[in-house]
Amino acid sequence: MLNNVYDVIIVGTGVSGLYAALNLENQKILMITKAKLEENDSFLAQGGICMLKDENDYDSFLEDTIKAGHYENDIEAVKTMINHSRETINDLEKYGVEFAKKDGKFIFTKEGAHSTNRILYHEDITGKEITSKLLAKVKDRENIELVENATLLDIFISDNYCTGALIRYQNKDYCINAKNVLLATGGVGGMYNNSTNYPHLTGDSLVICYKHNIEFKNVNYVQIHPTTLYQETKGRRFLISESVRGEGALLYNSKYERFAKETLPRDILSNLILEEMKKEGSKHVWLDMRPLGKSVILSHFPNIYKTCKENGYDPLNKLIPVVPAQHYYMGGVKVDLNSKTSVNGLYVLGEAACNGVHGKNRLASNSLLESLVFAKLAARNIIATNLPLRKDMNYTYNEDEMKRIRDKVEKMVKGEIEYELPRN
Ligand SMILES: Cc1cc2nc3c(=O)[nH]c(=O)nc-3n(C[C@H](O)[C@H](O)[C@H](O)COP(=O)(O)OP(=O)(O)OC[C@H]3O[C@@H](n4cnc5c(N)ncnc54)[C@H](O)[C@@H]3O)c2cc1C
């Protein structure tokens, strides 16, 4: 049973939702997730999280980010992300997150399109390490009520203020009143047959915001990851982290010839792999992890090693079949640098949002960082703005209408139709 008034409703228990909640002390918060608490893409992140290691790396970090983004990035957003990276990592360590270190100093790894090593990691389960520690802290907070298997259906908007949310829980619909609503619903992988994402991440914030005429940005900017494990079965695709290639793994076609530089930006490399597969009529290409050596494979990539082995490919002595798959959504609901939409009291965080930080293509390991940095800025903005509670909640939910909107949004994301707002 849910209460009916909160200061803040947060939808989603990935890194962005959790970190926002932790930065909203003294607020009465309802946090919901459609699935189990741990079932989100944040738990799946492998490679790591970027950090500005010292001031000398500032220009290079910025250049790598905007070069990968085809220079379509919002520069202020990129600078904000980089400027807040150290503070974010300090916070994570305070919450108990452990990153790989040697003699007390961070070890930095590298991924595609990075000109230097600047990525912190925890084996190949960095996302699980960060998200599980944040979740544990959230569970300790008395001001936060966490509810799993509860689905956001719609939001209420009155006079350009978001006044609450319509939530389905245990087959009942609840109209919940709040001063602020934060949508942290993740990406759009559930719209695709082949994706590394959880299938329940179906772009729900986009659908709901579209209904309310809230603008999107870069609607069809979808990232395809070059290397996921090729499997005949249906379902979520297992990612072979880019840092495997960053550390020296090589790609081969079916004739065991190299055909592309392994550390190219994701979009370029994905296209080269797809072209090679088309040329050869093959279902996948091959990845050779053996150049990394046994100790690096076992210590840095134990999870990838185990999963490949379970699928019949031992990375220590065999090539792994890999194929590109949908991975990340650079577009999203248009927000400012405080993650605020055009509607007062409505914020969108993490992969669901677009402030332009990634441009046309995300640089590896910038997503966890972006999700965290802009979640904290949203929390600060909420506290500074201090909106009063407005009780007017307009009920306009209609299942058939939502289905029609969902179909249209999906077509826009996939680039099948032009982006346009309904403007009713
Ligand atoms: C396999 C994989 C590896 C990755 N590796 C890295 C990496 O190494 N480094 C990096 O920076 N990034 C990586 N990423 C990307 C990164 O993990 C995600 O972009 C980031 O975690 C997104 O966080 P989020 O909080 O926006 O959403 P998520 O963590 O996806 O959480 C979304 C939440 O919203 C909930 N939700 C959705 N719709 C509803 C609804 N209608 N009602 C209620 N709840 C809802 C979900 O249940 C879930 O709790 C990886 C992604 C994948 C899939």
Side-chain angles (χ1 to χ4, degrees):
M1 186 64 189
L2 308 174
N3 289 319
N4 54 14
V5 185
Y6 293 84
D7 293 319
V8 182
I9 299 169
I10 302 179
V11 185
T13 57
V15 280
S16 61
L18 293 168
Y19 193 53
L22 290 170
N23 281 288
L24 284 164
E25 285 173 46
N26 307 321
Q27 304 275 316
K28 189 178 169 202
I29 301 174
L30 170 66
M31 267 197 102
I32 64 160
T33 170
K34 216 178 181 181
K36 295 244 173 285
L37 293 175
E38 296 81 6
E39 286 171 350
N40 53 64
D41 279 6
S42 298
F43 265 87
L44 300 178
Q46 296 179 344
I49 178 167
C50 292
M51 186 187 86
L52 177 67
K53 47 184 181 180
D54 55 54
E55 283 309 313
N56 295 334
D57 188 35
Y58 193 96
D59 291 345
S60 156
F61 190 174
L62 191 130
E63 176 60 21
D64 287 351
T65 300
I66 61 177
K67 189 173 174 198
H70 296 261
Y71 299 98
E72 287 192 27
N73 315 57
D74 180 302
I75 298 293
E76 285 314 309
V78 179
K79 287 182 178 169
T80 305
M81 179 182 74
I82 297 175
N83 289 337
H84 286 80
S85 66
R86 185 72 217 208
E87 169 193 334
T88 306
I89 299 300
N90 289 346
D91 280 0
L92 293 181
E93 291 211 291
K94 208 175 65 197
Y95 292 133
V97 174
E98 290 176 19
F99 295 107
K101 285 187 174 170
K102 194 171 178 204
D103 303 328
K105 292 202 170 123
F106 289 129
I107 306 174
F108 294 94
T109 185
K110 192 175 172 185
E111 299 190 49
H114 283 271
S115 53
T116 180
N117 293 34
R118 63 167 73 87
I119 299 166
L120 301 175
Y121 64 97
H122 180 103
E123 296 175 355
D124 51 357
I125 49 165
T126 311
K128 184 176 176 197
E129 171 66 12
I130 294 174
T131 321
S132 62
K133 297 280 167 68
L134 295 182
L135 180 59
K137 291 291 170 198
V138 163
K139 283 180 178 169
D140 282 348
R141 292 273 176 97
E142 285 185 358
N143 63 321
I144 307 172
E145 191 178 332
L146 266 171
V147 184
E148 52 186 13
N149 299 314
T151 301
L152 175 79
L153 298 180
D154 200 359
I155 50 178
F156 300 115
I157 294 181
S158 179
D159 282 342
N160 206 38
Y161 282 84
C162 185
T163 57
L166 177 67
I167 293 168
R168 184 162 292 170
Y169 179 56
Q170 295 180 337
N171 296 321
K172 265 184 79 176
D173 291 354
Y174 294 84
C175 294
I176 312 230
N177 197 196
K179 297 175 189 168
N180 297 280
V181 175
L182 273 63
L183 306 180
T185 58
V188 297
M191 293 179 181
Y192 291 78
N193 291 333
N194 284 310
S195 172
T196 58
N197 296 187
Y198 269 106
H200 67 275
L201 303 180
T202 45
D204 295 0
S205 293
L206 291 174
V207 177
I208 291 167
C209 287
Y210 194 78
K211 176 192 164 187
H212 294 282
N213 243 321
I214 299 166
E215 248 186 276
F216 298 167
K217 190 175 163 85
N218 299 343
V219 65
N220 58 354
Y221 286 7
V222 177
Q223 185 172 76
I224 309 295
H225 196 286
T227 50
T228 69
L229 182 64
Y230 172 75
Q231 290 160 305
E232 292 280 353
T233 50
K234 283 205 156 123
R236 183 154 59 81
R237 295 291 162 232
F238 181 74
L239 184 80
I240 310 287
S241 168
E242 186 145 0
S243 70
V244 169
R245 281 174 282 116
E247 296 284 336
L250 300 173
L251 283 168
Y252 293 97
N253 64 16
S254 62
K255 295 189 224 69
Y256 303 105
E257 297 158 344
R258 288 185 61 203
F259 60 92
K261 188 166 180 285
E262 286 75 6
T263 51
L264 284 167
R266 288 182 177 173
D267 53 344
I268 298 173
L269 186 57
S270 290
N271 284 338
L272 288 174
I273 294 175
L274 290 169
E275 271 170 30
E276 193 68 18
M277 284 165 52
K278 199 167 164 203
K279 209 161 72 194
E280 298 202 301
S282 57
K283 289 183 176 172
H284 58 76
V285 294
W286 295 101
L287 184 73
D288 189 359
M289 282 179 72
R290 291 171 301 183
L292 278 66
K294 186 173 174 182
S295 72
V296 173
I297 292 177
L298 297 184
S299 63
H300 192 155
F301 303 109
N303 184 41
I304 292 174
Y305 170 73
K306 185 170 151 273
T307 307
C308 289
K309 250 191 116 175
E310 282 165 2
N311 281 274
Y313 305 97
D314 181 349
L316 294 181
N317 51 46
K318 256 192 176 172
L319 304 190
I320 305 158
V322 290
V323 66
Q326 192 281 341
H327 181 56
Y328 183 78
Y329 187 46
M330 277 81 56
V333 180
K334 187 176 169 188
V335 293
D336 65 15
L337 295 183
N338 290 314
S339 305
K340 194 178 150 310
T341 65
S342 52
V343 173
N344 298 305
L346 180 67
Y347 296 77
V348 184
L349 312 176
E351 203 170 324
C354 182
N355 58 26
V357 73
H358 304 302
K360 202 171 182 179
N361 175 56
R362 168 173 72 95
L363 181 69
S365 287
N366 264 350
S367 167
L368 290 171
L369 180 61
E370 175 238 328
S371 296
L372 292 163
V373 166
F374 293 100
K376 186 168 180 176
L377 292 175
R380 281 188 185 156
N381 191 260
I382 285 171
I383 290 164
T385 313
N386 194 18
L387 288 179
L389 186 73
R390 300 166 66 102
K391 292 200 181 292
D392 34 346
M393 290 192 286
N394 260 336
Y395 190 97
T396 58
Y397 183 73
N398 173 307
E399 203 102 29
D400 290 337
E401 185 200 7
M402 285 315 251
K403 197 177 165 319
R404 272 197 305 278
I405 295 174
R406 182 172 292 284
D407 288 347
K408 190 166 177 192
V409 167
E410 192 169 320
K411 287 196 174 99
M412 291 191 295
V413 168
K414 292 180 174 171
E416 292 165 9
I417 57 171
E418 289 281 311
Y419 165 61
E420 53 158 3
L421 276 178
R423 304 245 178 260
N424 45 24

